[in-house]
Structure formats: structure tokens, C-alpha cells
Amino acid sequence: MRTQEEFYTLFERANVYILASGIDTMYRGVAISFSKRMKRTLATTTKHSNGEYTITFSERLLEADENSCYNIIIHEILHTCPDCMKHTGEWRKLANVINNKYPQFDIQRFVDIKSLVLYTPPAYKYAFKCKDCGKIVKRRIKSNFVKNYQDYRCGNCHGDFTPISI
């Protein structure tokens, strides 16, 4: 797993690749941040009303291999180019420029997180079993169902639930 400082170095190198391709970005007005909360998304780019950008990366991206990091970083930096906030038109054209110039990269509109990151789905904390049919219901968070399971009925047989250990 790389550190955030090592990731910043990858970010700087990615921008060199982009500039060497003849693409002008708004890179100079970009702030970078990391989020522990991003689980399904690897990165997002936000354009602020003052024209500056913030790229937020999931901390899970720190676990990915270097080439995958470059793909995501370049993808997000391309969003800072004029008319490139969406994945159509100009953004697609610029992604193709990078892909053609650097065959080691594969800049795509969508990347499956499971293929990039050492994916571990969140663990279930709660489980309940129907007393009648044996159906098991699992939950990750302390939802209303977890708090008041006795008020709910099984969708299969309308039986009562009982908590079980995982």
C-alpha cells in the first residue's frame, strides 16, 4: 500500500504525461483530497464556482497497482479540461489522445472497482433467521430492522425472526 505522498508523486507524473500529449488542463487550480468514506467510487472531480477544481480520491485507490492509479488520475485530470466534466465529446476525444500516445494506459469512462482494488466487501454485523422457514437476513448497519426485528415478518412465510451470531 502506498502513502498519500507517493500518490501525489504519481499525480505529478500523470500531469507530465498529459502535458506531453499537448493537452492543456486546469491542473494548476486543482486541490487534491482523500476520502475514507468513498467505497464504491474511486475518485470524483468537482468544479467550484470560482473555476477551481477539487479531485477527491478514495483511500482504497492507495491499494491499487501503479498503472491503475495512473488511469484513474489521468481520467480525473481530464475532467479539468474545458468542456470535459462529462464523459462525452471533448473528454472522450482527449482520453483517446492519451490512450493512443501511451499504450500502457487505458483511460475509460467507467472502471469496475473490483478489478482495480484489493476488493473486500464490508462485513455483515447482524444476522437474523426466520423461525419457520429458516431464511437468513443479514445487515451491515444498525437499521430499523436490526433495532426492531420483532416487528418484522419474513417475506417468504410471514414467520418471526430471531437473531443469530455470524
Side-chain angles (χ1 to χ4, degrees):
M1 185 168 157
R2 72 181 40 82
T3 64
Q4 289 183 7
E5 289 77 23
E6 293 169 330
F7 192 85
Y8 284 119
T9 302
L10 292 179
F11 191 88
E12 296 289 336
R13 283 192 221 140
N15 195 55
V16 170
Y17 283 118
I18 292 170
L19 293 174
S21 299
I23 298 171
D24 186 29
T25 67
M26 296 301 294
Y27 169 72
R28 291 161 276 318
V30 174
I32 302 169
S33 64
F34 290 89
S35 172
K36 292 179 183 179
R37 298 182 68 183
M38 293 172 69
K39 302 295 181 193
R40 296 182 183 162
T41 303
L42 291 169
T44 60
T45 300
T46 306
K47 183 177 182 180
H48 302 287
S49 59
N50 63 0
E52 293 183 354
Y53 293 85
T54 300
I55 300 176
T56 305
F57 294 101
S58 170
E59 283 193 352
R60 299 193 69 170
L61 192 56
L62 299 174
E63 303 171 24
D65 65 291
E66 188 172 290
N67 205 46
S68 297
C69 287
Y70 276 127
N71 288 335
I72 299 300
I73 292 167
I74 291 170
H75 172 116
E76 296 303 325
I77 291 176
L78 289 179
H79 282 303
T80 68
C81 296
D83 300 321
C84 288
M85 279 306 288
K86 296 184 180 178
H87 296 117
T88 57
E90 189 66 18
W91 184 92
R92 183 173 287 171
K93 182 181 121 191
L94 296 178
N96 287 334
V97 168
I98 296 289
N99 288 334
N100 291 333
K101 183 163 175 101
Y102 302 105
Q104 71 267 32
F105 299 138
D106 184 22
I107 312 304
Q108 299 177 12
R109 186 181 67 83
F110 174 79
V111 177
D112 185 11
I113 191 170
K114 293 177 187 175
S115 68
L116 283 183
V117 179
L118 304 173
Y119 183 74
T120 53
Y124 291 103
K125 294 181 183 178
Y126 310 97
F128 300 87
K129 184 175 183 178
C130 176
K131 293 178 183 177
D132 296 339
C133 71
K135 177 181 178 179
I136 295 178
V137 175
K138 296 179 182 178
R139 295 289 184 264
R140 291 184 174 96
I141 61 172
K142 196 168 191 174
S143 63
N144 284 336
F145 174 78
V146 172
K147 294 176 191 171
N148 305 306
Y149 67 88
Q150 62 278 2
D151 296 339
Y152 291 82
R153 300 288 170 250
C154 176
N156 289 348
C157 69
H158 302 289
D160 293 328
F161 285 104
T162 182
I164 58 173
S165 61
I166 296 182

